[in-house]
Amino acid sequence: MKIVEMISIRKEFPGVVALDNIDFALEEGEIHGLVGENGAGKSTLINILAGVFQQSSGEIRFFGESLRLNSPSDALRRGIGVVYQDTVLDPYFSSEENIWLGREPSKLSVLKGKKTRSDTKELCEEFGIEVPLRVPVGTLSVAKQKMVEILRALSMNSKVLVLDEPTASITQSDTDNLFKILRNLKKVGISVIFVSHHLDEVFDLCDRITVLRNGHYEGTYASSELSTRSLIKLMTHRDLTDQYPKQEYKTEGEVLKVSNLSSVRLGLKNISFEVRKGEIVGFFGMVGSGRTELMKSIFGAGEVDSAEIFIEGQPVKVSNPSRAMKTGIYLCPEDRRREGLVQDMSIIDNLSIPFLGTLTKFGVIDSKTANSKAKKLSKDLEIKTPSLRTIVSNLSGGNQQKVVLGKWLMGPKSRVFIFDEPTQGIDVGAKTEFYKIMQDIAGEGCGVIFVSSDIRELLGVADRIYVMRLGRITAEFGREEFDQSSILENALSDTVSMGSGNCE
């Protein structure tokens, strides 16, 4: 039985057709994958189903009844719950308070705490979901916060659950647990729309897959009918036989050297490593290994107790991001939305902010120069946008990541680029573009640090890989020594010491 039917859906924004004649159908008790490159229209389609946007034309049917969803509350009342990629919870409220927020059991305006606790416990037991209920949500892991959001949607008697990139920032064990829960929901007749750029997860979990490309419908297929290669070709209209292109550049002298970096507050312990010109150095480790904390420290955004940092052999003091920028160290942070961009400003404003001083004359911004540089960068990086005045929050994840990178390319000559999870939440085509961009930067004589939780892309792109565990570098592997099992063992165990140098 079809629960949701979206027929010939078209959505227009000023100057842009985001969706053009899209068909989508969701069966009862089905897990349905929705895939496509960044900008394909997945988020727009989800937002129409969630009542955030209204279609320009086309029809939505829910259990066979034609309807128009005018607001998110309309969708919730119908039983459509959405868990977005970015958590939408109050960090200071407990799990159970977030689940029932605005719908708390009460009598004569007095909250019934016992009723709230019993209802929450019953909800958790019914769907087999375990989360700490009485602690502030902000203290929970990203995975546990996702579970709270799922519980909140289920508490509203949702018949349809939409998950947008739910595994983007969680560990493999948390992913396995999430999949177990989703399969249990399927057994009780709840239908799931699963949006992910991780195609192996889509094949593992989903019964059917719908493919969008550039706002157009490419088809719906049983998962068994497709291979990874054929799915990528549907998404991109390209045959990505070489997903990890590797160009060989001559590596020269040392561009960055870090010696004995330690921070009690950040849990970093006596970290030493170096990066050469023309080299891509990978950093791998599990969640909590200290990779992001280390990168922020090198950029001057972490509280460091001791460290020696050298740029091209010269000692430098990197006490804050401004000093890091002056030495030519640039960071594309893991959380691009909160730390890499000003979401309510335009593309051109975001590109210009870091180096406004170089774009001013007598205290006035030289708009002509700023526009010229921004247009060139937008073209070089292939940022897909109708205008440089577009608000950056309206861009897809891959295009937002290009803006984060582009703002550093607006500045003076760089020496070291740090990419922290740059391909997280972006599609396979955009990932390949980013691998090429990193290699082009290395080819210009810069040092590139590439932090990733995806060991496959590090093996494909990096020249060397450092492995981190519990705030320490546990091993270093040269390209000729790359071995996935050994790298994983060093990331997971204290008893293993493999690789060439810098093992502790």
Side-chain angles (χ1 to χ4, degrees), residues 159-199:
K159 302 295 186 293
V160 174
L161 185 63
V162 184
L163 299 175
D164 186 9
E165 297 288 350
T167 64
S169 301
I170 66 177
T171 64
Q172 185 59 51
S173 61
D174 287 328
T175 297
D176 294 340
N177 185 45
L178 173 64
F179 284 10
K180 181 181 177 181
I181 290 167
L182 295 180
R183 290 185 177 109
N184 288 338
L185 295 179
K186 173 183 173 180
K187 289 177 183 177
V188 298
I190 293 175
S191 302
V192 177
I193 300 175
F194 183 78
V195 183
S196 178
H197 290 305
H198 298 289
L199 301 186

Side-chain angles (χ1 to χ4, degrees), residues 320-332:
N320 54 56
S322 180
R323 284 181 175 268
M325 291 161 58
K326 288 177 181 176
T327 63
I329 301 174
Y330 301 139
L331 170 67
C332 295

